[in-house]
Amino acid sequence: MNHAVWCFACFCLFEAVSLEIFSLDGEWKLLNSNSSVSVSAEVPGCVHTALQRQGFISDPYYRFNDLNYRWISLDNWTYTTSFSVRGKGKAVLVFEGVDTISTVSLNGVVIGKTDNMFRRYDFEVTGLLKDQENVLQVWIMSAVTYASQRSRAHTEYRVPPDCPPPVQKGECHVNFIRKAQSSFSWDWGPSFPTLGIWKGVRLEVFNTLRVLSFTTVPKYDSGNSSWNVEVELFFDVVAASKALVLVSIPLLHSEEFHLSLTPGQSRKSFVLQINKSVSLWWPFGHGEQPLYELEIQIKVEDGETFNARRKVAFRTVELIQEPIPSSPGLSFYFRINGRPIFLKGSNWIPVHAFQDQVTADMISVLLRSAQKANMNALRVWGGGVYEQDLFYSLCDAYGIMIWQDFMFACALYPTEKDFIQTVREEVTQQVRRLKSHPSVVIWSGNNENEAAIAADWFNISAAERPLYVRDYVSLYVENIRDLVLQEDGTRPFLVSSPTNGVESEKEGWVAHDPYDPHYGDTHYYSYYNDCWNWTAFPRTRFASEYGFQSWPSFSTLSKVSVSSDWDFSSNFSSHRQHHEDGNQQMLKQAELHYILPNRSDPVQRYRDTLYITQVMQAQCVKIQTEFYRRSRSDIVEGKGHTMGTLYWQLNDIWQGPSWSSVEFGGKWKMLHYWAADFYAPVLSAAVEDEGDLLIYAVSDTHSERHKVKATVKFFSWSSFDAVCSLESNVTAVKAGGSTLVFQHPISALLEQCGSCTRRSCVVTFHLSSPEGQMISPLNHIFLSSPRHAEGLQKPGITFTVKDAGIVQSFVVTLRCSFPAVYVWLDVDDIPGHFNVNGFLMLSNTSTVTFGAWRPTTAEEITANLHITSLRDVY
């Protein structure tokens, strides 16, 4: 555990001469409060991970271990390390992240305390360092105990909620501590109130200055039709000095600036004027994502030099809230580089309960999966963490826009001076860290806290309400909003989500109805209403949350369970479900349209039940998303012009039921495969309305109107041959809009097709060019529930697997005797994804490709491939 590492290194992308950086990452000693547990622990890391790696506990995600290991979070823990240094000068210990309540001591002297997981802490230790061994100790208090103590000390009035619902099996008063709110439990995740040093630790020794951080923000000068890049440098200066700063974008421009520095911390700004044309950064699907290299060199008069580089991109972002003809209220849409952009995506939650276990591969797989599903946006939800730098850098490269919440969710919060103070520092640090990323297009103050007050989630009396509104305005408007606007004038800021935006502001920041579809964004969930009834969905301006639960696959669950758990009514199934009545809600929603699994083998019936929940989820989210996408051009009863859909949620934090489309570990659920189609750049979407079959062409393109025709086919459940086929007239489709291209009475179509009835046939359709080139994914619509399908038989699917001749790509050839619904291919634990899945198989032969994410063989895939269709489960 003795650290004797010193180097001339780089931090924050800066390389510096004479700034010595000693990394203190690595092996530390970890001790609990009564010394009964003593293990080595890696930093960065957390207590749970250390105990697991040392064999003291097993996998915390296994079965009921979230309850069995509750004692870990209720104890206090101490991290200790020793190190030696040779450098002379001002010395600062830098903690990039401590989780959460700690007292830090060096050589027996307390040098500081921490109370915020989301902050960096710098402690000056000049004069405390010894020439030989130095002992650094970090005592970490139980977050659960601390939160409880803070709550009890807040005697003037309550700050709800006190505790999560019992079904979440969580801890209380998380709103009193600045750490990941979901760590105390959520309706999709476990309660693991972590403790640890979750980010890096280092000692910096310098004689003149150090660069704390720097930001680069391109700004468009509309008056001169040119770009400027504002560069901000943040210094910690020991001795007054002068310096020369060279800022360069090699492909565009370079410029020198003179700098005078005085002792203390300071902030210096420079503007690099770009007089050449630049390539603009566009969201995925709307153009390229060019990233320019920006270089900074600082030459101090005493000979010291600092060098840094960062990627920069040129784009503008506006949130447009303005009157709409024929509609009360205001629009709510994003304009990137002057163009309206429909946001298509999902919501992002923490990738793991233990942040030190989040790998670059985990983040990369999830973001690539989002892009492969044609997503251009993700909302980093406000109950988790501000993501690591790699996340935002990849989003920059992939063209994924980020709606960035600040970390407050579903609660009211205290406003004592020390709480506000640490929040202000948190906000300042995070905005400075993230504002250089073009992918970040909006800041949002919190998740659902305006709605919590407006809808009286916490039973606050009318007499008390002004007090809570005052606290709300103090925290999110007078502090967070004001700070963000000071630090970053290039992006919009919303106080909450959902919100009525500028209308909420007019109403004193807490609107009478933050869910009003005439304004802002909405969150909408309805589990007992039939999700096929599209008329029940709010015709909102922007759908930032909506969704349905499903269970993950058997291969994902089997890693954390045993055979006695493999029953939908088992204790494990109940324990893993953290949403009240969630398991029954899934089955009741599925039963509206599908026959529930009833095969005699209990394990097979369990697997089938997992499958049917994914079928239900995929179909429900598809119907809702298609409704929103085709509503982008409509105003119906004063509502519409929907310009964004972010379904809840993209990813999972553990192996359990949730609203996700990607399972813990990266495996795609059926929903994610379908998202690639319902988020396609050009979509054909059908709906039954007052007895008519309506088919819309939805286009995200910016080109002038292009012409399409719809091809509509009716298939019988008992035959592979289309009963009849129709083509619409050629229609000009609005660029960036929704256009009706086909409308006929269903009764007339059935009569025209002769042998078809609502129950015996299914309708498929797609869009093509006038020349016949297919330009939208194949889609379908049922004219009655599949549970009532007549003629649907067990398809008898067989398959062969062959190497595709491309690295880690395989061709699966399927054959069946009868048409099959929701054909699902599952290769257990072989990572990768198919090009299509969960599809209608309306021919006796179909070919699917599988791209593996690790070396495998056709033989291994054959041995692990399970194929299920709707008719197989009963």
Side-chain angles (χ1 to χ4, degrees), residues 501-681:
V502 294
E503 176 61 24
S504 288
E505 181 178 352
K506 289 179 182 178
E507 296 181 38
W509 303 104
V510 177
H512 172 71
D513 177 16
Y515 296 97
D516 187 340
H518 298 97
Y519 300 94
D521 65 319
T522 60
H523 298 184
Y524 178 80
Y525 298 94
S526 179
Y527 306 114
Y528 289 112
N529 293 333
D530 184 355
C531 76
W532 287 32
N533 178 18
W534 58 271
T535 64
F537 301 135
R539 199 178 290 272
T540 177
R541 306 295 194 214
F542 194 105
S544 50
E545 276 194 32
Y546 61 98
F548 294 84
Q549 277 199 322
S550 71
W551 276 80
S553 63
F554 182 77
S555 61
T556 295
L557 288 166
S558 62
K559 297 180 180 67
V560 292
S561 59
V562 296
S563 58
S564 61
D565 299 327
W566 301 337
D567 187 292
F568 211 64
S569 59
S570 69
N571 289 337
F572 174 80
S573 294
S574 175
H575 174 77
R576 218 70 174 185
Q577 176 59 265
H578 285 193
H579 171 61
E580 190 68 48
D581 205 28
N583 289 344
Q584 287 307 306
Q585 288 172 355
M586 281 185 267
L587 294 183
K588 288 177 181 177
Q589 185 65 241
E591 196 172 23
L592 292 173
H593 300 286
Y594 316 112
I595 296 173
L596 296 183
N598 59 13
R599 286 200 269 190
S600 57
D601 179 74
V603 174
Q604 187 59 58
R605 188 166 62 249
Y606 177 67
R607 296 183 72 131
D608 291 345
T609 303
L610 303 179
Y611 161 83
I612 206 69
T613 68
Q614 292 202 21
V615 167
M616 176 276 296
Q617 179 196 36
Q619 183 72 23
C620 287
V621 176
K622 172 184 184 288
I623 291 170
Q624 194 166 357
T625 304
E626 289 182 349
F627 166 76
Y628 291 137
R629 287 198 68 188
R630 62 185 172 84
S631 296
R632 68 179 295 172
S633 298
D634 294 345
I635 292 292
V636 179
E637 297 178 350
K639 303 171 188 173
H641 273 218
T642 306
M643 283 298 290
T645 55
L646 305 176
Y647 67 75
W648 186 267
Q649 67 204 62
L650 177 71
N651 57 310
D652 265 337
I653 197 170
W654 74 336
Q655 307 93 334
S658 80
W659 294 256
S660 76
S661 62
V662 180
E663 300 176 7
F664 181 80
K667 191 172 187 175
W668 291 14
K669 291 182 179 178
M670 192 177 294
L671 169 57
H672 206 79
Y673 285 99
W674 286 27
D677 285 346
F678 63 61
Y679 277 153

Side-chain angles (χ1 to χ4, degrees), residues 720-754:
F720 292 118
D721 297 322
V723 176
C724 66
S725 179
L726 307 93
E727 276 192 355
S728 73
N729 295 326
V730 173
T731 305
V733 175
K734 287 178 287 189
S738 175
T739 307
L740 181 65
V741 296
F742 181 95
Q743 181 173 7
H744 284 283
I746 291 175
S747 58
L749 291 172
L750 291 173
E751 186 176 346
Q752 182 177 345
C753 287

